[in-house]
Amino acid sequence: MFKINKVFKKPHYLIIQQNTSQEGQAEKNQEVQPALPAIPNGLWLKCQNCGETIYNKDFRQNHEVCQNCGYHYRMNARERIDLIMDTGTFKEINPELKSVNPLGFEGYDLKLAESREKTELTEAIVTGYGKIHGHNSVIAVMDSRFMMGSMGSVVGEKITRAFEYATSKGLPIIIFTASGGARMQEGMFSLMQMAKTSAAVAKHNQAGGLYISVLTDPTTGGVTASFAMLGDIILAEPRALIGFAGKRVGEQTIRQKLPDGFQKAEFLLEHGFIDKIVSRDNLKLTLSRLLRLHIWP
Amino acid sequence: MLEREKDINELRNKIEDLRKFAEEKKADFSAEIDVLEARLEKMKAETIVNLSPMDKLTLSRMVERPTSLDYIDKVFDGFIELHGDRKFGDDPSIVGGIARLRDMAVTVIGQQKGRNTKENVKRNFGMPNPEGFRKALRLMKQAEKFQRPVICFIDTPGADPGAGAEERGQGEAIARNLMEMVNLRTPVISIVIGEGGSGGALAISVADEIWMLEHSIYAILSPEGFASILWKDSTRAKEAAHKMKITAQDLLGLGLIDKILPEPPGGAHTNLETMATVIKEELMRVPFKTMLNDRDGLLDQRYAKYRKIGAYLE
Ligand SMILES: [Zn+2]
């Protein structure tokens, strides 16, 4: 761990910046909090949670967890796949699915184009299959950089197809959620994805398939109120924001100060809505052990 | 009340006054009265013909708008309300129970707004807590066991967004209902009677058929909320209501609902009796017996119905 506060006279580090360009239900659902650094090339970073200055390379090697305070910063989908899947085993499915603008909503096409360019993803989720410490699994990974990970038709369709793939191959499925909720620009098409994805979970259940959901920061709105909460086993990353309505919305509506730690993973664990909080350095091992326990000898 | 309705009432009063005045003064104002009456008729007709999405939103939220219990009373016989989720409590914003639809026992569930301020406080303005959704699910599973069709009335601004709801798992409650309703081995018909608000509405509306009353709405979020989030300007609700495609007509056009039930001239609130008859007659036409005889087929169709929803390029 580096403590270099006094080494430099002027700060030669980057502040780990907010993601400020997002919009959508996400905004309603989100309090301001640290996000990934926008410029990854700085040598030093300053943790927004604890204020400690940390060495960028260490931060990356530590899978974007602050070595000082253990704060889990948001990971993008590709980094998550690298973290979880055995090297070279991941095969993407349905990468070609692209959103359209079903309501002809002004500005939506541009927003999609910007997100595609910024993230080099076609949508807010990457789905595929591969091996985790040798165990085969389908995985779906949401990416909050893409329009705040909101669920529109494509996210719903890719999740549904991932379930169908898992069901048909007799494979387990693991979904990493990161979403501000509904893709508002798609109106009721977006809302109905909640029912569609829940139906896909139901089919997988009937076939006896394993589904593990891993809730990461942030998981809110329509994603929380559908497949995120339907895992056979529900894991979460430490301190991840998880909730249905936004904290600010809650405060405004009921005009009361909400308890500290409200809607954090720890709060949900305490109230019985998730199985386990797993830190990032332990995540792959935990998942592989769970997969192992679901294989018939 | 809608602006136009106020105008209509004003005009009606004006005509009445003029008549009284004419009688008192023994003067002949019949020509003027005829003109005004013609205008009144025209306004009445326009009220129902030219409703904008915002008008419909207002209409769907009017306190005069008939509620679930109003319809339950008129459409069904011998309704027995059943309470509680067997886990935490009883949520007054969702009512449910057993009744007869002519000769068939059915389970009826509805989101219940208050018919005045006092009742609205008790009913939480029709915003269910998790225990409301769990009560609904309990009654649906009961219906499945006894092979009763389920009829759901949708009328909510949305699920309660408060701290208590979060603590008791609002997200989980909604998610559970969605998953269980897709697989409920008995017919389900859901009818949006007023405001279909977001996930809270969806949580009791997964069905074999989704119907909407002519002037009801179904939206991913309130147009006010939509405008304030997307445009940072909640005063643009009218524009949002238009762009969000929330009316029964829009949603039928998009293939997201199955049927529109016509409202009496002036809206459901002007004639509850007629509206209830329309609902009852439509329900009588549903081949519940046939559906119950092929429950595997029923579930396959329901799955397919939701499976195909989405707009994307491949
Ligand atoms: Zn830190």
Side-chain angles (χ1 to χ4, degrees):
Chain A
M1 189 186 312
F2 281 77
K3 295 200 177 188
I4 49 112
N5 288 354
K6 304 213 166 66
V7 176
F8 300 109
K9 282 183 188 135
K10 273 193 292 180
H12 281 250
Y13 50 74
L14 295 165
I15 301 288
I16 302 182
Q17 290 180 353
Q18 308 290 340
N19 248 342
T20 50
S21 65
Q22 310 303 339
E23 103 179 359
Q25 188 150 14
E27 223 138 322
K28 172 183 93 176
N29 281 328
Q30 263 197 279
E31 53 190 308
V32 172
Q33 58 183 293
L36 286 169
I39 310 159
N41 302 322
L43 202 54
W44 303 99
L45 303 166
K46 188 180 171 99
C47 175
Q48 282 222 338
N49 187 53
C50 68
E52 193 62 56
T53 304
I54 47 182
Y55 191 40
N56 191 357
K57 212 171 141 197
D58 286 353
F59 178 68
R60 300 285 156 192
Q61 269 173 5
N62 206 28
H63 308 296
E64 286 153 64
V65 176
C66 173
Q67 296 102 307
N68 186 49
C69 67
Y71 192 92
H72 284 52
Y73 284 85
R74 290 176 190 169
M75 262 189 145
N76 70 45
R78 299 290 177 202
E79 292 165 339
R80 177 73 66 181
I81 291 165
D82 288 346
L83 171 71
I84 298 299
M85 305 307 279
D86 297 347
T87 310
T89 64
F90 179 73
K91 300 245 173 2
E92 189 169 352
I93 54 175
N94 301 305
E96 69 285 357
L97 291 193
K98 277 207 180 92
S99 290
V100 293
N101 190 350
L103 305 186
F105 198 84
E106 214 175 296
Y108 182 35
D109 297 296
L110 182 65
K111 200 109 213 147
L112 284 169
E114 283 170 3
S115 280
R116 283 182 198 129
E117 196 181 324
K118 181 176 74 185
T119 61
E120 297 178 352
L121 299 173
T122 49
E123 252 296 341
I125 191 164
V126 178
T127 56
Y129 58 90
K131 289 183 190 295
I132 302 171
H133 286 321
H135 300 296
N136 289 313
S137 185
V138 173
I139 69 163
V141 187
M142 303 186 82
D143 194 315
S144 65
R145 297 170 308 155
F146 196 107
M147 294 189 74
M148 208 48 244
S150 55
M151 175 160 64
S153 296
V154 169
V155 170
E157 181 69 20
K158 284 176 88 165
I159 284 172
T160 305
R161 289 190 190 189
F163 270 105
E164 286 170 347
Y165 185 86
T167 309
S168 70
K169 302 280 179 189
L171 289 172
I173 177 167
I174 303 169
I175 301 186
F176 297 85
T177 61
S179 175
R183 179 76 53 88
M184 294 208 291
Q185 291 88 342
E186 292 190 22
M188 287 295 287
F189 282 101
S190 172
L191 191 75
M192 291 295 178
Q193 300 310 310
M194 291 168 64
K196 181 164 114 180
T197 53
S198 301
V201 179
K203 272 245 183 270
H204 191 64
N205 278 346
Q206 282 175 320
L210 170 67
Y211 164 36
I212 301 173
S213 59
V214 183
L215 316 183
T216 77
D217 187 65
T219 296
T220 59
V223 167
T224 300
S226 61
F227 59 89
M229 282 294 161
L230 296 175
D232 294 303
I233 294 167
I234 307 179
L235 307 179
E237 289 203 320
R239 298 200 55 190
L241 175 76
I242 305 161
F244 171 66
K247 182 170 174 176
R248 268 188 294 157
V249 169
E251 274 178 357
Q252 275 167 12
T253 313
I254 54 175
R255 301 199 179 283
Q256 77 181 56
K257 196 86 190 107
L258 295 167
D260 212 30
F262 180 70
Q263 288 186 335
K264 294 289 183 190
E266 292 73 13
F267 176 87
L268 273 92
L269 183 71
E270 190 186 320
H271 286 87
F273 288 101
I274 59 176
D275 287 291
K276 199 172 179 57
I277 295 173
V278 183
S279 65
R280 204 167 279 167
D281 58 351
N282 223 352
L283 193 52
K284 179 170 179 171
L285 184 63
T286 304
L287 287 170
S288 69
R289 285 176 58 203
L290 285 170
L291 293 178
R292 177 76 190 81
L293 288 166
H294 287 82
I295 297 169
W296 287 95
Chain B
M1 209 189 286
L2 291 179
E3 282 301 308
R4 285 174 220 213
E5 285 209 330
K6 281 187 199 147
D7 294 345
I8 286 171
N9 280 343
E10 256 169 42
L11 187 58
R12 197 181 278 135
N13 293 338
K14 210 179 271 176
I15 294 170
E16 225 20 70
D17 289 347
L18 195 56
R19 260 204 197 104
K20 272 185 204 151
F21 185 73
E23 239 168 65
E24 277 168 22
K25 301 283 171 188
K26 309 260 184 266
D28 182 13
F29 284 114
S30 58
E32 288 85 347
I33 290 172
D34 282 351
V35 170
L36 290 178
E37 278 190 329
R39 195 191 296 167
L40 180 67
E41 286 312 307
K42 191 163 167 263
M43 279 174 72
K44 274 192 191 162
E46 279 173 353
T47 304
I48 51 157
V49 172
N50 290 327
L51 289 183
S52 70
M54 192 64 195
D55 289 336
K56 288 184 185 246
L57 179 68
T58 310
L59 192 67
S60 73
R61 289 172 174 170
M62 268 169 42
V63 74
E64 295 88 345
R65 185 111 176 141
T67 65
S68 293
L69 282 174
D70 296 323
Y71 291 123
I72 289 171
D73 183 45
K74 299 279 178 196
V75 173
F76 307 98
D77 299 311
F79 175 65
I80 298 173
E81 189 175 352
L82 303 174
H83 293 273
D85 68 348
R86 302 294 188 271
K87 292 178 167 81
F88 177 81
D90 183 44
D91 184 348
S93 68
I94 290 188
V95 295
I98 317 169
R100 271 182 303 115
L101 176 65
R102 198 164 287 172
D103 59 349
M104 185 180 227
V106 294
T107 287
V108 188
I109 294 163
Q111 283 154 338
Q112 184 63 33
K113 289 185 180 178
R115 286 163 283 199
N116 52 53
T117 308
K118 194 177 160 216
E119 198 195 350
N120 249 328
V121 170
K122 175 186 157 197
R123 302 280 184 192
N124 198 27
F125 297 84
M127 297 186 295
N129 271 289
E131 45 279 15
F133 296 124
R134 290 175 185 139
K135 169 168 71 177
L137 182 59
R138 179 177 76 83
L139 297 179
M140 288 181 215
K141 298 301 269 183
Q142 188 187 70
E144 178 182 59
K145 175 178 175 185
F146 297 106
Q147 303 192 26
R148 286 193 291 265
V150 177
I151 318 294
C152 294
F153 292 105
I154 315 301
D155 190 17
T156 179
D160 188 291
E166 291 289 338
E167 233 167 17
R168 300 192 297 280
Q170 189 69 289
E172 190 274 344
I174 295 171
R176 179 84 35 208
N177 277 25
L178 301 180
M179 184 169 79
E180 296 288 347
M181 287 184 83
V182 173
N183 272 333
L184 201 70
R185 295 180 64 78
T186 195
V188 186
I189 305 288
S190 66
I191 312 171
V192 183
I193 57 170
E195 201 180 1
S198 197
L202 186 68
I204 63 162
S205 74
V206 175
D208 299 301
E209 288 197 25
I210 307 167
W211 303 345
M212 288 179 74
L213 302 197
E214 186 181 353
H215 304 313
S216 64
I217 63 111
Y218 198 170
I220 189 156
L221 178 67
S222 75
E224 293 84 356
F226 187 94
S228 78
I229 289 165
L230 272 191
W231 303 320
K232 317 269 174 273
D233 184 358
S234 62
T235 62
R236 288 169 73 186
K238 191 174 174 180
E239 189 185 341
H242 176 69
K243 291 187 167 161
M244 289 168 72
K245 310 283 185 236
I246 60 174
T247 67
Q249 293 71 24
D250 281 333
L251 295 170
L252 187 72
L254 293 170
L256 293 172
I257 65 161
D258 301 285
K259 192 175 280 179
I260 297 176
L261 306 188
E263 296 193 19
H269 64 292
T270 61
N271 198 334
L272 170 63
E273 212 65 50
T274 309
M275 191 69 251
T277 306
V278 169
I279 294 173
K280 182 168 187 165
E281 280 174 0
E282 279 302 333
L283 284 173
M284 303 289 297
R285 272 195 272 275
V286 179
F288 288 120
K289 295 247 160 73
T290 319
M291 293 159 96
L292 279 163
N293 282 337
D294 178 18
R295 284 181 282 172
D296 288 337
L298 184 70
L299 290 200
D300 287 348
Q301 274 180 33
R302 195 183 301 153
Y303 184 80
K305 175 186 173 68
Y306 285 91
R307 178 65 190 85
K308 69 178 197 306
I309 298 177
Y312 52 85
L313 274 178
E314 205 162 343

